[in-house]
Structure formats: C-alpha cells, structure tokens
C-alpha cells in the first residue's frame, strides 16, 4: 500500500495579494464608470466619420468631451453603454481648453462626479476609459506621472493644469474620463499630441468644472484680446539693468489686427511688451493668461519698451470673437 502525501497549499505571496488588491481597485472603478461613458459619432466637421468618447456629468443629459472631437459638427450621435442611440446637441465648445459640452434627452442616465484635481498626488492610480468602437469600451490603467503640465491646444493657446499619466490613450478614446479608484473623474483625456505614444494627457477636473459651468451657462468662454501678433524675444542685458527689470524677455510686437485695442493704445511694430497692469509678460503665453474675460472693456496699463525707452500706455482689451 502506497501512502499518499497531503496536498500542500502555498500561502499567497505578498506580491500576489498586492496585485489582487490593485486589480480589484481598477476593476471596481471601471464597473462603476462604464455606464456613464459614451461613444460619439460626428458628421460635418471636415473629417467624415469622426468619432470620440465622452461621459455624462449630470442626470439630465449633460456630457463632456473634447472640443477637437465635435468642433464644427453638423450632426452628433451618442451611443450609450446600454445600447441606446441618441441625438445630441452641442451646448458649448471651447477650443482653447479643448473641452465641449453636449446634451441628450433620455431617462436613467448614469453620470460621474468630478474630483478635486488639486488633491492629486504623483504615483496614484489613474484609469483611462473610452468607447472608441461604440459599445466595445477600452480601459488602460497606470499612475499619475505628472501634474501641473502645460499643453498646446489646437487654437494655439496653452492649456494649463494638464495631468500626465502612463495609462496609454487608445485611438478614439479622446474625450473619455480619467478616473481614480473611487470612480471620480480627475481629468478629461485628450489626444491632441499626435506623437505621444504610451502616455495620456488629460485636462484636470478643476479646469473642466470651471469650463463646463460657463459652457452650460453661456455656450462659450469669454476671453479678452488686445490684437497684436507677437513673438518671444530676449532683452538686452544693459536694458534689464538700466530699467531694473525683473525679467530677461518680453513679447515683440510684429503686427496688429485692424482697429485693435493695441493700435488704439499707441503701440507700434517693434515695441516689446513687458507687463500688463504690472504683471510681467516674458512670453506670449504669459500675456494670453492675463487676457481673461474679466478684463473685457476694463482699462489696463501696458508696459513696453520702444527702443531703449520704457513706456506705459492705457489700453482697453476687447472680447475675443467666437471661433468659426
């Protein structure tokens, strides 16, 4: 008679327990998020058969996506995770932040909450979800690898407070949510950097909250402009010392829009803009950041160099016209 040895069961390794915990956290977040994620089909924006992703942010049918997905669209169709196909209206579109709000009419709509992106920490789990092929949603997961990034939008302006994660962004996932393990949205995935492979950039949820509120209220974001074409230039060191400037670069005025606030204020080609209302403008992007909606029609002081002379003129920014 041969004695049989009892089967030995190996206790799970700490690595296995950790992996199971990670898998469970991601899986539960995906299950909670999926019903609110939609597939968007676009016609009439110059790209036949254009598609993207989006997600609901309220029970009454408001949903978020990227501006570059829906800008100029003539017709929008939204495919829900439960199989419904609904027509959507474009509520508002902001190319400068690459965000847009759509609305559909429907019942029993799942929606997601926006987290506080200021509370993000490097290394925390980030999950990118999209619906590139209609109902076949895709998921990638990684960690938050960068916060406070800046990204050049399709309009040419910089988008601030961008999140970088190594959760790869699949084609067609533009406009989908980037969520944490509590299924809260920490950002809106964007794919406007074509060469970026194996990483994801997302517009931070606090920016999303602000932009979405204004798009729902007014259909657009109001910004101001002064009507100059400019380029970044270094300042001569002797001028920096002579005028005791706290910057070593400025914005060289290379042209004007017709009857612009800058031309009315007496600026000329060749002037170098240094500040607006005492806030330094060492680059074109820093000037853009100052031209917010609350400056529309309000008197400001522009500081600039003309040759070696430091000048200050009053200027009244106007509202930036809506983009076609």
């Amino acid at each position: 008679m041969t004695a049989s040895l009892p089967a030995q069961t190996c206790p799970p390794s700490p690595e296995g327990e950790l992996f199971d915990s990670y898998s469970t956290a991601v899986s539960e977040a995906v299950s909670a998020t999926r019903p609110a994620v939609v597939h968007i089909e676009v016609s009439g924006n110059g790209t036949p058969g254009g598609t993207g992703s989006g997600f609901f942010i309220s029970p009454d049918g408001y949903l978020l996506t990227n501006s570059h997905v829906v800008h100029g669209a003539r017709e929008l169709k939204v495919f829900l995770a439960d199989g419904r196909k609904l027509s959507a209206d474009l509520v508002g579109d902001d190319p400068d932040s690459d965000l847009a709000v759509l609305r559909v009419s429907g019942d029993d709509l799942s929606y997601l909450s926006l987290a506080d992106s200021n509370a993000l920490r490097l290394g925390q789990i980030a999950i990118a979800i999209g619906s590139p092929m209609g109902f076949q949603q895709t998921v990638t997961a990684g960690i938050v690898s960068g916060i406070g990034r800046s990204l050049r939008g399709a309009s040419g302006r910089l988008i601030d407070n961008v999140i970088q994660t190594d959760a790869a962004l699949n084609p067609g996932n533009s406009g989908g949510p980037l969520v944490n393990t509590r299924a809260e949205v920490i950002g809106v995935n964007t794919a406007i950097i074509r060469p970026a492979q194996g990483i994801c950039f997302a517009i931070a949820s606090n920016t999303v909250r602000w932009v979405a509120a204004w798009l729902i209220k007014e259909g657009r974001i109001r910004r101001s402009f002064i009507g100059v074409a400019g380029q970044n230039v270094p300042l001569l060191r002797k001028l920096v010392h002579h005028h005791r400037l706290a910057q070593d670069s400025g914005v060289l005025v290379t042209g004007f829009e017709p009857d612009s606030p800058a031309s009315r204020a007496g600026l000329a080609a060749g002037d170098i803009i240094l500040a607006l209302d005492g806030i330094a403008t060492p680059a074109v992007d820093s000037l853009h950041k100052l031209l917010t909606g609350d400056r529309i029609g309000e008197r400001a002081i522009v500081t600039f160099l003309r040759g070696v002379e430091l000048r200050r003129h009053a200027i009244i920014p106007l509202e930036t016209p809506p983009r076609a």
Side-chain angles (χ1 to χ4, degrees), residues 262-285:
S263 60
R264 294 180 194 174
L267 271 73
D271 290 343
I272 300 176
I273 299 174
L274 301 176
L276 187 68
D277 270 349
I279 303 174
T281 57
V284 173
D285 293 323

Side-chain angles (χ1 to χ4, degrees), residues 99-245:
L99 293 170
V101 174
L102 311 182
R103 192 176 191 185
V104 303
S105 295
D107 299 320
D108 300 322
L109 300 174
S110 298
Y111 63 97
L112 302 176
S113 300
L114 299 176
D116 178 8
S117 55
N118 287 339
L120 283 177
R121 293 185 178 182
L122 294 177
Q124 78 173 70
I125 295 174
I127 307 159
I129 304 176
S131 187
M133 300 300 292
F135 313 129
Q136 298 178 356
Q137 294 182 342
T138 64
V139 178
T140 55
I143 62 169
V144 173
S145 51
I147 54 179
R149 298 278 196 260
S150 293
L151 187 65
R152 185 75 60 187
S155 68
R157 278 182 179 252
L158 276 184
I159 305 171
D160 293 320
N161 296 323
V162 172
I163 302 164
Q164 180 182 333
T165 168
D166 60 357
L169 192 59
N170 294 322
N173 280 9
S174 246
L178 183 71
V179 301
N180 58 23
T181 52
R182 294 187 297 274
E184 298 168 331
V185 177
I186 59 176
V188 176
N189 302 322
T190 183
I192 54 179
I193 296 186
R194 300 302 179 191
Q197 299 293 330
I199 56 175
C200 168
F201 291 97
I203 313 304
S205 55
N206 286 2
T207 300
V208 172
R209 182 181 290 108
W210 183 83
V211 171
W214 279 105
L215 291 181
I216 291 171
K217 181 179 179 181
E218 295 194 0
R220 62 193 178 96
I221 303 296
R222 300 179 73 210
R223 293 183 175 87
S224 56
F225 81 109
I226 60 173
V228 297
Q231 65 184 56
N232 304 337
V233 293
L235 302 176
L236 294 175
R237 184 169 298 180
K238 62 180 181 180
L239 290 179
V240 172
H241 290 311
H242 177 73
H243 294 294
R244 298 180 180 178
L245 301 176

Side-chain angles (χ1 to χ4, degrees), residues 16-48:
E17 290 178 357
L18 182 63
F19 180 76
D20 287 343
S21 298
Y22 175 83
S23 299
T24 299
V26 172
S27 180
E28 290 178 352
V30 171
S31 296
T33 303
R34 283 185 68 254
V37 178
V38 303
H39 173 68
I40 302 171
E41 287 190 357
V42 179
S43 61
N45 67 347
T47 53

